């Protein structure tokens, strides 16, 4: 596991004097760093707020990784422990068992995993990497650790084989040699099978790399070696010579034995399968091209694509299974990758959605010399893992309990909610389970190893992912697991685009016009809001009942003409623009477009997508209540949405982009405000604005949905982010602390929105509904919301939205807001208690809106009543309201910028969590902004991390670590201490199944009667030492837990020896009992036989 250097700042270091604010530590030194905003003091002395959080509460630790392993390369299965391992191109290993048993480990070198081999039922795993290193992993601990490594210096590893219950690992190389490694000591044996000794001396060509190694099921002293060029050697380990050789004119890809050890099958590069008998090695016993066209007699069958792997598995009561990947005919180029199952005369071709990386047949027995009895096939695809049930004739697949489909459509945004209402998970699951796919196998998932319990963490957690195809997925993330609850398709509210229509009507994005850009969810009211890249916002309400209704839509014309404005003059600027002039000239509630564009006509007032106009059937779950679309303005497409917020208590949704702000009443379905950012300042515009340059008509968002992980420069990736224009301008601005260095053509975007009961003006004595608006220039505008006083009037009377004239400022684009009361407790925004909008009960019809305001306005004491926390990409400030005094300011970074900031609750106290572009995670206390934690966690390698990183309560966070995986982490010291209790056990003590009794005759004639002692043959005494330059032994880090668990130090060895003695004593006791039972049975049989002999002793043969 990656180790971090923690730099915890002493508590109270920056708050040593009452008159000083927090500074930025090592990054301080900018103008105004660590100073208090002049003018006025807080009505409540700051010393009265006792902050309970200290640096001892925080530590960074990765917890669990969900999703499909990115770029998989290898697969292994332990048939006794029933756990599965997947290796990847980036050097990662994922080990999976029963649901809840999911472990991630990483090779420090980052080299690709070539092959994985379990030490069956031993709690260990061998991995071979592309840097020609073997590693031994200890799985008898919750966090696997490397015990030993062996680095080959002169040869490249191509294939490994570990016989069942053996401690000697066979290693084939690219040069054609075979080496033997002792698993216990991880030291190379002096016994080597050189390629030139294995092949005939008359052969002049090199046989190629070793592609297969396996010992004979009949005789452990015989090793089968397959070379790439078609040569197979049956090597006698004891006599050190080749017992027989097989030659074929096509390259070999894989080999598998018949369990009796008399025959083996090879797969070749021409799509053929050859079956060889050891008694007649001169030519194949049988040759077939399963997918080749039949030819006339005497002619060779048609060549097909290579069969990359074949497995030959026998059954006691039926024909054997021959399972292989590839081998399709070349004339079927359009066919998808396939897995072929041959059972008797039946041939079944299973087409896959993605290329096959590897497959394994799961069998009942670990012994290679018994009937294998296959029951399933695990197929590792490039982007999926499926398991096929072989016990049913139609070969259905098992329902996968792991969240392997996170990337079904590329993830574009995420949201994380910890400690949410407990009934939500059950409600979402009950709705989502009705839409699950059918046709799965009725048997349980076969990968059922390991052990897992809930642990101490019991609060409910929900993760929401938005995707490129417009889908939203709700996941149950409680107790370190991830299970999909519910899936919502936002594209269903729009008409399907016809061929050629997309280029005419939707020029905002070329691909994925429904890609989800931002999501906002209120768990208490169950209001859900989503914005897409095509400049639209959809508001969803949750209902348990199906409904058929028309989708209401609004079209908003948002423009900001600043060409003629240089510096607004207070005396000439109107007090406030007429609201009616800001509304679109015509709004369509039916979803139809106002005008139809044609060639040569400037597009105007046309949305990017068309909302369905007919009644739509909406199943139970989230149902679209309102669609809001920005329209084209004077031939220019609407700009993508950069901020989104909704209030269920106020019935208002607000969103903004680099043009301006839109506020909509979703109860009355009316636009309240549609205004350019410059107009929000009225006559108080603080910055001189230059004429803008012409805006580009196209926006490129390729980075939103890319699946490749190639390193791209950060500046280039910025252009691909959903908020590319805003972020790029923010990045340019962040290079200088001076506002005057802003680019001439930059626009002020709306970057943060927040609804709260607050003080809109400086002299207010009571709180009122407010909307905090943050911009990319670091400005904060407070907008006052005047709502009707009663519920009845709320549905009919208009809502008045007016900028209050209150302005606050920070350095850098504003990222987040939050509020605390005078006692230092975090205030939650008001919300409406959920009720089913489609309930037909009589009592529900008269039910009034129930609002939870979370604020007591009864106190009429003089002084300030509220703290407002504002964080930008450069600094954080705490203001006291209504006096608007800046109590604390903390310059978080000067050389970088913050990507994500959230005010979260931990241990019933609030703190500010930030993720910086330089990879630092920082935690600050509230309200004093004292640094609690600053850890260099990971560098920002691409915009995917920036787009998906999010913090939540209880010390949790997550981000998309690869295009297919979600990485969860914690910044809680308590959770780091208890992480071992939350993870599953990979190894559980299971008795190895006994080998079947082969019978007297089979034991006499079926194979070698002599026992094979590998230790005597491969040990140092007989084989000598291997050359030191050939391979280098590297002791593994092991970890403290590894030292206790398996192989480190004297105590570990003594513990293992004691356990082995106990197990041996127990087995000896069982053997003694069995022997006594057999003796008793033998005595009884002897007695009965003697009595029978006496009975018939004197009778003649004809008397029987």
């Amino acid at each position: 596991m990656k180790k971090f250097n923690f730099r915890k700042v002493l508590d109270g270091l920056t708050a040593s004097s009452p008159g000083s604010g927090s500074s930025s530590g090592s990054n301080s030194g900018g103008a105004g760093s660590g100073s208090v905003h002049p003018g006025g003091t807080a009505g409540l002395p700051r010393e009265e707020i006792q902050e309970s959080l200290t640096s001892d509460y925080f530590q960074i630790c990765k917890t669990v990784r969900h999703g499909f392993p990115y770029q998989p390369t290898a697969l292994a299965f332990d048939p006794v422990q029933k756990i599965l391992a997947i290796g990847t191109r980036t050097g990662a290993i994922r080990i999976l068992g029963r649901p809840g048993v999911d472990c991630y480990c990483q090779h420090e070198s980052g080299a690709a995993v070539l092959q994985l081999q379990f030490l069956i039922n031993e709690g260990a795993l061998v991995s071979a990497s592309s840097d020609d290193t073997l590693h031994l992993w200890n799985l008898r601990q919750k966090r696997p650790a490397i015990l030993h490594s062996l680095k080959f210096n002169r040869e490249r590893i191509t294939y490994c084989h570990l016989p069942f219950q053996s401690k000697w690992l066979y290693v084939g190389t690219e040069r054609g040699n075979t080496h033997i490694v002792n698993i216990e000591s991880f030291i190379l044996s002096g016994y080597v099978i050189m390629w030139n000794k294995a092949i005939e001396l008359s052969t002049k060509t090199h046989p190629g790399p070793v592609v297969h190694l396996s010992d004979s099921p009949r005789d452990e002293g015989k090793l089968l070696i397959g070379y790439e060029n078609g040569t197979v050697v049956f090597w006698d380990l004891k006599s050190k010579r080749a017992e027989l050789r097989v030659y074929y004119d096509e390259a070999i890809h894989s080999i598998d034995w018949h369990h009796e050890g008399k025959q083996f099958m090879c797969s070749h590069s021409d799509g053929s399968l050859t079956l060889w008998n050891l008694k007649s090695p001169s030519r194949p016993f049988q040759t077939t091209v399963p997918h080749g066209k039949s030819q006339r007699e005497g002619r060779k069958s048609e060549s097909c694509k290579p069969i990359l792997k074949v497995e030959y598995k026998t059954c006691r009561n039926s024909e054997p299974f021959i399972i292989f990947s590839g081998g399709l005919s070349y004339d079927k180029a359009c066919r998808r990758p396939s897995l072929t199952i041959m059972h008797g005369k039946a041939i079944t071709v299973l087409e896959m959605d993605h290329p096959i990386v590897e497959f394994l047949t799961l069998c009942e027995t670990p012994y290679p010399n018994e009937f294998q009895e296959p029951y399933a096939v695990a197929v590792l695809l490039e982007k999926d893992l499926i398991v096929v049930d072989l016990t049913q004739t139609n070969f259905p697949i098992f329902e996968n309990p792991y969240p392997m489909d996170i990337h079904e459509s590329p993830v574009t945004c995420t949201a994380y909610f910890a400690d949410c209402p407990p009934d939500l998970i059950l409600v979402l699951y009950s709705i989502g389970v009705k839409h699950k796919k059918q046709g799965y196998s009725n048997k349980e998932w076969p990968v059922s190893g390991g052990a897992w319990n809930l642990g101490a963490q019991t609060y409910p957690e929900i993760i929401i992912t938005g995707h490129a195809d417009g889908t939203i997925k709700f996941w149950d993330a409680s107790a370190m697991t991830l299970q999909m609850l519910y899936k919502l398709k936002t594209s269903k509210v729009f008409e399907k685009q016809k061929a050629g229509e997309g280029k005419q009507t939707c020029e905002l994005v070329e691909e994925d016009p429904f890609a989800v850009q931002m999501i906002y969810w209120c768990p208490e009211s169950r209001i859900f809001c989503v914005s897409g890249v095509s400049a639209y916002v959809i508001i969803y309400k949750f209902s348990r009942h199906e409904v058929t209704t028309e989708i209401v839509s609004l079209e908003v014309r948002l423009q900001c003409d600043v060409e003629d404005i240089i510096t607004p003059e207070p005396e000439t600027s109107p007090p406030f623009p007429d609201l009616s002039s800001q509304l679109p000239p015509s709004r369509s509630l039916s979803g139809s477009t106002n005008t139809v564009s044609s060639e040569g006509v400037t597009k105007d007032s046309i949305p990017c997508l068309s909302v369905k106009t007919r009644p739509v059937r909406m199943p139970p779950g989230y149902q679209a209540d309102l669609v809001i679309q920005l329209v084209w303005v004077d031939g220019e497409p609407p700009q993508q949405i950069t901020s989104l917020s909704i209030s269920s208590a106020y019935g208002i949704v607000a969103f903004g982009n680099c043009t301006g702000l839109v506020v909509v009443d979703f109860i009355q379905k009316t636009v309240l405000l549609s205004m350019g950012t410059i107009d929000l300042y009225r006559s108080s515009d603080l910055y001189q604005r230059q004429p803008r340059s012409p805006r580009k008509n196209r926006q490129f968002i390729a980075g939103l949905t890319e699946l490749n992980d190639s390193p791209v420069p950060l500046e280039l990736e910025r252009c691909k982010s959903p908020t590319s224009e805003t972020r790029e301008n923010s990045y340019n601005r962040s290079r200088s602390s001076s506002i005057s260095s802003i680019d001439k053509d930059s626009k002020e975007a709306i970057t943060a929105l927040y609804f709260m009961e607050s003080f809109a003006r400086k002299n207010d004595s009571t709180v009122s509904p407010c909307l905090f608006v943050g911009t990319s220039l670091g400005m904060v505008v407070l907008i006052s919301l005047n709502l009707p006083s009663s519920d009845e009037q709320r549905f009919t009377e208009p809502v008045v939205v007016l900028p209050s004239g209150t302005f606050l400022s920070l350095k850098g684009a504003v990222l987040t807001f939050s509020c605390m009361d005078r006692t230092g407790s975090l205030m939650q925004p008001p919300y409406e208690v959920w009720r089913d909008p489609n309930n037909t009960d009589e009592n529900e019809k008269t039910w009034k809106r129930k609002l939870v305001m979370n604020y007591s306005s009864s106190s009429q004491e003089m002084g300030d009543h509220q703290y407002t926390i504002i964080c930008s990409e450069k600094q954080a400030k705490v203001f006291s309201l209504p006096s608007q005094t800046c109590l604390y300011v903390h310059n978080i970074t000067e050389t970088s910028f913050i990507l994500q900031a959230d005010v979260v609750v931990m241990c019933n106290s609030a703190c500010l969590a930030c993720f910086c572009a330089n990879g630092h995670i920082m935690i600050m206390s509230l309200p004093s902004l004292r640094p609690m934690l600053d850890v260099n966690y990971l560098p920002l390698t691409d915009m995917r991390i920036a787009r998906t990183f999010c913090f939540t309560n209880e010390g949790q966070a997550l981000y998309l670590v690869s295009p297919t995986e979600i990485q969860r982490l914690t910044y809680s010291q308590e959770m780091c201490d208890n992480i071992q209790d939350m993870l599953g056990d990979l190894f559980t003590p299971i008795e190895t199944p006994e080998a079947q009794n082969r019978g007297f005759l089979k034991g006499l004639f079926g194979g070698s009667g002599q026992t094979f002692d590998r230790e005597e043959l491969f040990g140092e005494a007989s084989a000598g030492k291997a050359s030191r330059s050939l391979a280098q032994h590297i002791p593994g880090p092991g970890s403290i837990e590894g030292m206790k668990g398996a192989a480190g130090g004297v105590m570990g060895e003594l513990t293992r020896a004691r356990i082995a003695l106990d197990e041996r004593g127990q087995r000896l006791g069982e053997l003694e009992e069995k022997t006594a039972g057999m003796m008793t049975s033998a005595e009884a049989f002897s007695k009965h036989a003697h009595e029978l002999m006496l009975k018939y002793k004197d009778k003649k043969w004809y008397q029987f």
Side-chain angles (χ1 to χ4, degrees):
M1 188 181 74
K2 183 178 179 180
K3 292 182 172 58
F4 304 104
N5 294 320
F6 296 98
R7 182 170 63 85
K8 295 187 177 180
V9 184
L10 294 176
D11 301 319
L13 183 65
T14 55
S16 56
S17 62
S20 65
S22 297
S23 64
S24 60
S26 62
N27 288 334
S28 62
S33 174
S35 61
V36 177
H37 193 286
T41 58
L44 183 67
R46 275 167 278 161
E47 289 76 6
E48 292 187 16
I49 297 180
Q50 299 296 326
E51 296 179 359
S52 59
L53 293 178
T54 64
S55 60
D56 295 332
Y57 282 77
F58 301 96
Q59 183 181 349
I60 296 292
C61 175
K62 291 182 180 179
T63 54
V64 68
R65 183 173 291 202
H66 302 298
F68 180 75
Y70 184 55
Q71 295 179 330
T73 54
L75 182 68
F77 182 71
D78 187 326
V80 179
Q81 288 289 321
K82 294 190 182 301
I83 56 176
L84 190 80
I86 300 174
T88 74
R89 194 177 300 173
T90 58
I93 298 177
R94 285 279 292 281
I95 305 174
L96 305 169
R98 68 177 66 246
V101 179
D102 187 343
C103 178
Y104 167 82
C105 40
Q106 174 75 42
H107 293 92
E108 288 188 3
S109 66
V113 178
L114 296 179
Q115 195 176 351
L116 296 171
Q117 287 265 307
F118 277 106
L119 277 66
I120 296 176
N121 204 29
E122 294 291 336
L125 175 72
V126 174
S127 63
S129 301
S130 61
D131 60 351
D132 307 307
T133 306
L134 298 173
H135 305 274
L136 178 64
W137 295 83
N138 175 26
L139 306 184
R140 294 183 181 235
Q141 57 190 65
K142 296 188 176 183
R143 297 275 197 183
I146 294 178
L147 299 176
H148 302 282
S149 296
L150 188 66
K151 169 74 173 174
F152 281 74
N153 297 321
R154 295 186 298 185
E155 298 194 55
R156 307 217 65 181
I157 298 172
T158 56
Y159 195 87
C160 299
H161 171 65
L162 179 66
F164 178 48
Q165 294 181 328
S166 169
K167 67 175 184 179
W168 298 94
L169 174 72
Y170 301 108
V171 182
T173 68
E174 193 175 41
R175 290 186 180 180
N177 303 325
T178 301
H179 301 274
I180 300 169
V181 178
N182 187 306
I183 288 296
E184 291 182 349
S185 62
F186 237 58
I187 295 176
L188 207 60
S189 168
Y191 191 109
V192 184
I193 304 173
M194 304 299 290
W195 69 270
N196 54 354
K197 298 286 184 67
I199 65 172
E200 288 183 334
L201 295 177
S202 60
T203 305
K204 297 181 179 180
T205 58
H206 190 280
V210 175
V211 296
H212 178 82
L213 292 167
S214 62
D215 53 342
S216 168
R218 299 180 72 198
D219 188 352
E220 295 176 347
K222 307 291 175 60
L223 183 68
L224 193 70
I225 308 172
Y227 295 94
E228 188 179 61
N229 75 339
T231 302
V232 179
V233 176
F234 195 49
W235 183 266
D236 189 324
L237 292 166
K238 197 164 188 179
S239 64
K240 299 183 181 180
R241 65 181 180 84
E243 187 169 299
L244 62 87
R245 298 178 179 90
V246 165
Y247 298 98
Y248 195 68
D249 56 359
E250 292 291 342
I252 293 176
H253 285 281
S254 70
I255 305 176
D256 201 17
W257 279 101
H258 187 282
H259 82 277
E260 292 180 348
K262 300 176 182 179
Q263 299 175 343
F264 61 88
M265 182 175 288
C266 302
S267 70
H268 301 277
S269 58
D270 64 344
S272 64
L273 296 174
T274 55
L275 186 62
W276 299 82
N277 196 315
L278 294 181
K279 292 183 179 180
S280 56
S282 59
R283 60 188 181 88
F285 173 71
Q286 180 182 340
T287 302
T288 58
V289 183
H291 295 296
K293 292 180 180 179
S294 58
Q295 303 285 349
R296 295 178 182 177
E297 292 185 7
R299 294 184 61 185
K300 187 177 179 181
S301 300
E302 175 198 25
S303 293
C304 294
K305 295 178 182 178
I307 295 180
L308 301 178
K309 183 177 182 181
V310 64
E311 293 207 347
Y312 187 22
K313 303 300 178 184
T314 55
C315 304
R316 186 180 298 276
N317 301 319
S318 67
E319 295 289 328
F321 280 91
I322 299 173
I323 305 169
F324 61 88
S325 60
L328 293 179
S329 176
Y330 279 106
D331 63 354
K332 297 176 181 177
C334 297
R335 289 188 63 170
R336 295 185 292 179
S338 65
L339 184 79
T340 304
I341 302 175
M342 300 173 63
H343 189 212
K345 295 182 179 180
I347 300 180
T348 305
V349 179
L350 304 178
E351 291 189 344
M352 305 294 169
D353 293 332
H354 310 285
I356 297 174
V357 175
E358 173 71 288
F359 75 88
L360 287 175
T361 306
L362 312 187
C363 301
E364 295 288 354
T365 177
Y367 295 94
N369 58 355
E370 298 178 355
F371 283 100
Q372 297 299 289
E373 303 295 347
Y375 59 89
V377 181
V379 187
L380 179 64
L381 308 177
E382 278 191 359
K383 297 180 182 178
D384 202 0
L385 171 69
I386 65 171
V387 180
V388 181
D389 186 355
L390 293 179
T391 62
Q392 300 182 41
T393 55
N394 60 338
F395 302 128
I397 65 172
F398 290 88
E399 184 176 5
N400 197 327
Y402 316 124
M404 293 291 184
D405 58 345
I406 292 176
H407 63 286
E408 184 178 18
S409 174
V411 177
T412 54
C413 62
T414 59
Y416 192 6
F417 299 86
D419 203 12
C420 51
D423 60 328
L424 268 179
I425 291 178
L426 183 60
V427 168
L428 290 170
Y429 177 78
S430 63
I431 298 296
V433 74
K434 299 175 183 177
H435 304 285
K436 276 195 171 183
K437 295 179 180 179
Q438 304 298 322
Y440 292 111
S441 171
N442 53 11
K443 295 189 176 181
E444 292 186 359
W445 179 254
V447 186
S448 56
W452 177 77
N453 52 27
L454 285 173
Q457 181 183 334
T458 56
Y459 54 82
E461 300 174 74
I462 291 179
I463 292 173
I464 304 177
T465 55
H467 299 264
D469 63 352
T471 57
I472 305 284
K473 293 182 180 179
F474 292 77
W475 306 83
D476 177 10
S478 307
M480 295 291 180
T481 61
L482 193 70
Q483 295 293 323
M484 195 170 79
L485 297 171
Y486 173 70
K487 185 176 180 179
L488 174 66
K489 295 182 179 179
T490 62
S491 60
K492 285 191 173 182
V493 304
F494 299 106
E495 297 284 1
K496 292 183 179 179
Q497 292 186 349
K498 299 179 182 179
E501 183 182 336
K503 292 185 178 180
Q504 297 179 7
T505 60
C506 182
E507 295 191 11
L508 186 59
V509 288
E510 291 185 349
E511 296 180 357
D512 302 319
F514 307 112
V516 178
Q517 192 174 11
M518 305 180 74
I519 51 181
Y520 192 97
W521 188 44
C522 176
E524 290 80 10
S525 64
R526 302 185 188 175
I527 289 283
F528 184 72
C529 193
V530 56
S531 70
V533 295
S534 297
Y536 63 82
V537 171
I538 309 175
I539 299 170
Y540 289 90
K541 291 185 177 180
F542 189 85
S543 175
R544 297 177 184 269
H545 304 281
E546 181 179 310
V547 65
T548 300
T549 183
E550 290 188 2
I551 301 174
V552 181
S553 69
L554 292 173
E555 294 174 5
V556 181
R557 184 183 178 89
L558 182 60
Q559 65 183 114
C560 178
D561 296 326
V562 296
E563 285 84 351
D564 300 328
I565 301 177
I566 304 300
T567 304
E569 299 295 336
E571 59 273 12
T572 60
S573 301
F576 189 73
D578 185 11
L579 280 179
S580 61
S581 65
Q582 299 299 328
L583 298 180
S586 63
R587 293 195 311 272
S588 169
L589 296 182
S590 63
S592 61
T593 57
N594 295 327
T595 61
V596 180
S597 63
S598 60
E599 293 186 9
V601 178
T602 301
K603 294 182 182 179
D604 192 68
S605 302
I606 303 174
C608 295
L609 301 172
S610 298
V611 179
K612 291 180 178 177
T613 57
R614 61 185 182 279
V616 178
R617 184 187 71 84
M618 300 182 187
Y622 274 104
Q623 300 167 351
D625 183 62
L626 177 64
V627 179
I628 309 165
Q629 290 182 281
L630 298 179
V631 297
W632 287 64
V633 177
D634 298 331
E636 294 187 0
Q639 300 298 298
Q640 291 178 3
I641 293 169
T642 57
S643 58
L644 175 68
S645 185
I646 192 169
S647 171
S648 59
Y650 303 155
I652 293 175
V653 61
F655 60 92
N657 59 13
C658 63
T659 306
L661 174 69
V662 177
V663 181
V664 174
D665 182 346
F666 65 83
I667 294 179
Q668 299 184 26
K669 308 294 190 294
T670 58
V671 178
L672 302 177
L673 185 70
S674 173
M675 183 180 292
T677 311
I678 187 173
D679 297 323
L680 294 176
Y681 298 105
R682 299 199 296 171
S683 59
S684 305
D685 193 358
L686 301 183
Y687 302 124
Q688 181 181 15
R689 300 175 186 273
Q690 301 293 336
R692 61 173 181 168
S693 61
R695 184 167 48 192
K696 294 182 179 180
N697 288 337
R698 304 292 290 273
Q699 296 182 13
F700 298 95
I701 60 156
L704 190 64
T705 61
E706 80 278 5
L707 265 178
N708 58 353
D709 222 17
S710 57
V712 179
L714 184 60
E715 282 79 2
L716 182 58
E717 278 288 345
R718 285 186 167 280
C719 301
K720 299 180 179 180
S721 68
T723 56
S724 57
E725 191 165 355
T726 303
R727 276 293 179 198
E728 191 171 0
N729 292 337
S730 301
Y731 179 73
N732 292 334
R733 284 193 307 278
S734 63
R735 293 183 239 179
S736 171
S737 59
S738 173
I739 297 296
S740 62
S741 65
I742 302 173
D743 294 338
K744 298 286 185 178
D745 59 344
S746 64
K747 294 180 286 293
E748 187 171 11
I750 306 297
T751 57
L753 295 166
Y754 179 65
F755 288 99
M756 175 53 76
E757 294 282 306
S758 186
F759 300 91
R761 298 171 181 82
K762 196 167 186 177
N763 297 323
D764 286 354
S765 58
T766 58
V767 294
S768 61
C770 292
L771 171 62
F772 289 76
V773 180
T775 75
S776 57
L777 296 184
M779 292 301 299
V780 177
V781 181
L782 264 69
I783 294 181
S784 176
L785 310 174
N786 296 322
L787 304 174
S789 57
S790 64
D791 279 349
E792 292 79 8
Q793 293 177 336
R794 180 63 186 87
F795 293 93
T796 57
E797 296 294 323
V799 177
V800 180
V801 178
L802 294 173
S804 64
T806 297
F807 305 101
L808 307 172
S809 64
L810 292 86
K811 288 195 299 183
V814 179
L815 299 179
T816 190
F817 298 95
S818 194
C819 289
M820 303 176 73
D821 62 19
R822 60 187 303 163
T823 65
S825 299
L826 190 65
M827 297 171 56
Q828 299 299 328
Y831 64 89
E832 178 186 1
V833 177
W834 175 79
R835 63 181 288 266
D836 197 324
N838 300 322
N839 204 328
T840 56
D841 293 346
E842 291 297 327
N843 294 334
E844 289 290 333
K845 290 183 178 180
T846 59
W847 196 86
K848 293 185 178 181
R849 296 177 72 220
K850 182 179 179 182
L851 305 182
V852 178
M853 304 308 290
N854 293 320
Y855 188 83
S856 174
S857 58
S858 58
S859 176
Q860 296 296 326
E861 299 179 16
M862 295 298 293
D864 290 351
H865 304 275
Q866 191 180 85
Y867 297 103
T868 296
I869 302 102
I870 309 174
C871 184
S872 73
E873 61 182 8
K874 286 292 187 180
Q875 65 178 188
K877 286 186 178 183
V878 176
F879 292 91
S880 178
L881 298 182
S883 67
Q884 301 178 13
T885 303
C886 181
L887 298 179
Y888 304 96
V889 56
H890 178 65
N891 291 323
I892 301 173
T893 177
E894 293 288 348
T895 58
S896 185
F897 55 92
I898 299 170
L899 293 165
Q900 182 66 34
D902 290 292
V903 175
V904 293
V905 174
M906 185 169 147
C907 301
N908 297 319
S909 297
C911 58
L912 176 63
C914 301
F915 174 59
C916 198
N918 59 14
H920 283 249
I921 293 179
M922 293 163 281
I923 311 292
M924 283 148 280
S925 69
L926 290 176
S928 66
L929 296 177
R930 288 180 294 116
M932 295 287 168
L933 179 73
D934 188 347
V935 175
N936 187 6
Y937 178 70
L938 84 166
L940 179 65
T941 54
D942 54 48
M943 287 305 297
R944 182 187 61 249
I945 298 174
R947 190 170 62 239
T948 57
F949 200 105
C950 53
F951 296 95
T952 189
N953 298 331
E954 307 302 334
Q956 303 267 35
L958 66 80
Y959 60 95
L960 204 67
V961 67
S962 75
T964 62
E965 296 169 287
I966 288 176
Q967 177 67 57
R968 292 167 67 179
L969 61 142
T970 181
Y971 49 91
S972 165
Q973 178 70 59
E974 181 183 5
M975 193 168 182
C976 290
D977 294 339
N978 299 328
I979 189 68
Q980 295 294 331
D981 299 332
M982 302 176 186
L983 300 175
D985 291 297
L986 296 173
F987 178 81
T988 53
I990 300 175
E991 186 175 352
T992 303
E994 293 185 2
Q996 296 177 6
N997 186 5
R998 303 186 65 195
F1000 174 74
L1001 294 177
K1002 278 195 174 182
L1004 188 61
F1005 303 109
S1008 174
Q1010 60 183 352
T1011 57
F1012 177 65
D1013 189 354
R1014 292 188 178 93
E1015 180 67 36
E1016 181 183 347
L1017 191 60
F1018 302 144
E1020 186 177 328
S1022 58
K1025 290 185 178 181
S1027 171
R1028 290 186 178 181
S1029 61
L1030 185 61
Q1032 176 188 0
H1033 175 261
I1034 306 170
S1039 77
I1040 296 177
E1041 188 174 357
M1043 301 281 282
K1044 294 178 181 177
V1050 178
M1051 293 302 295
E1053 295 296 338
L1054 289 174
T1055 303
R1056 292 178 63 190
R1058 190 180 298 112
I1059 293 172
L1061 285 173
D1062 291 343
E1063 291 177 352
R1064 190 174 302 168
Q1066 183 179 355
R1067 289 177 182 175
L1068 286 174
E1070 293 175 356
L1071 183 62
E1072 187 177 353
E1073 291 176 3
K1074 289 181 180 180
T1075 305
M1078 291 174 66
M1079 289 179 64
T1080 305
S1081 177
E1083 289 177 2
F1085 177 76
S1086 175
K1087 181 180 179 182
H1088 288 302
H1090 185 68
E1091 291 174 354
L1092 192 65
M1093 184 267 293
L1094 293 175
K1095 182 178 179 180
Y1096 296 102
K1097 174 182 173 184
D1098 299 326
K1099 291 189 177 183
K1100 304 296 182 183
W1101 63 270
Y1102 53 81
Q1103 291 178 316
F1104 286 94

